[in-house]
């Protein structure tokens, strides 16, 4: 079965400041339990803020290092998952369900891409 990487894009500067709340945590926990029991979830995690990151760029035969935060970025990757699904449609369905757990006032985007297997 193919594997898919889902990258969760957020607008870090506009992310809701309030805590998620117990209802959100319960809904997310139930979804993660379901996807794990279905044998689909291989790995998932949220990422630390860009202020704790470093970008390494190779250009013109030289390396350049830039410490975060990366203010020029409107969207950043705030988390990821790696799942194993029968096809892209199933992977997108899981991503849709993940997004629908979030409160309506949030803006979260999921990019689903198949992992190239050689």
């Amino acid at each position: 079965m193919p594997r898919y990487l889902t990258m969760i894009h957020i607008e870090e500067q506009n992310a809701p400041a309030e805590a998620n709340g117990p209802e959100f945590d319960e809904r997310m926990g139930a979804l993660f339990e379901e996807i794990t029991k279905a044998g689909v979830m291989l790995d998932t995690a949220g990422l630390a803020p860009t202020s704790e990151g470093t970008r390494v760029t190779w250009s013109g035969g030289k390396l350049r290092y830039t410490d975060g935060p990366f203010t020029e970025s409107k969207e950043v990757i705030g988390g990821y998952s790696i799942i194993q699904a029968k096809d892209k449609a199933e992977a997108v369905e899981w991503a849709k369900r993940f997004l629908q757990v979030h409160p309506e006032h949030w803006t979260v985007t999921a990019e689903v891409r198949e992992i190239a297997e050689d």
Side-chain angles (χ1 to χ4, degrees):
M1 260 198 292
R3 295 181 305 149
Y4 294 87
L5 171 67
T6 302
M7 294 170 280
I8 305 303
H9 296 263
I10 62 169
E11 292 183 16
E12 193 171 50
Q13 289 82 11
N14 297 325
E18 73 276 359
N20 295 330
E23 300 85 17
F24 173 83
D25 293 340
E26 288 172 19
R27 290 192 313 269
M28 190 62 73
L31 178 64
F32 281 0
E33 183 176 335
E34 181 181 353
I35 194 171
T36 301
K37 283 183 179 177
V40 174
M41 181 66 71
L42 301 177
D43 190 26
T44 189
L47 300 176
T50 61
S51 61
E52 298 176 23
T54 300
R55 286 186 177 161
V56 183
T57 303
W58 174 256
S59 179
K62 296 182 181 179
L63 288 172
R64 185 178 72 227
Y65 302 88
T66 307
D67 290 330
F70 310 119
T71 54
E72 70 277 5
S73 298
K74 182 177 179 187
E75 286 187 341
V76 299
I77 298 175
Y80 73 94
S81 71
I82 298 176
I83 66 168
Q84 187 168 297
K86 65 181 179 209
D87 55 26
K88 185 176 177 185
E90 181 184 10
V92 169
E93 179 64 25
W94 284 112
K96 178 189 88 171
R97 292 185 58 199
F98 171 81
L99 292 176
Q100 290 175 324
V101 167
H102 293 78
E104 288 182 9
H105 65 279
W106 284 37
T107 299
V108 185
T109 302
E111 179 180 341
V112 179
R113 295 176 56 188
E114 186 171 349
I115 297 172
E117 306 281 356
D118 291 333

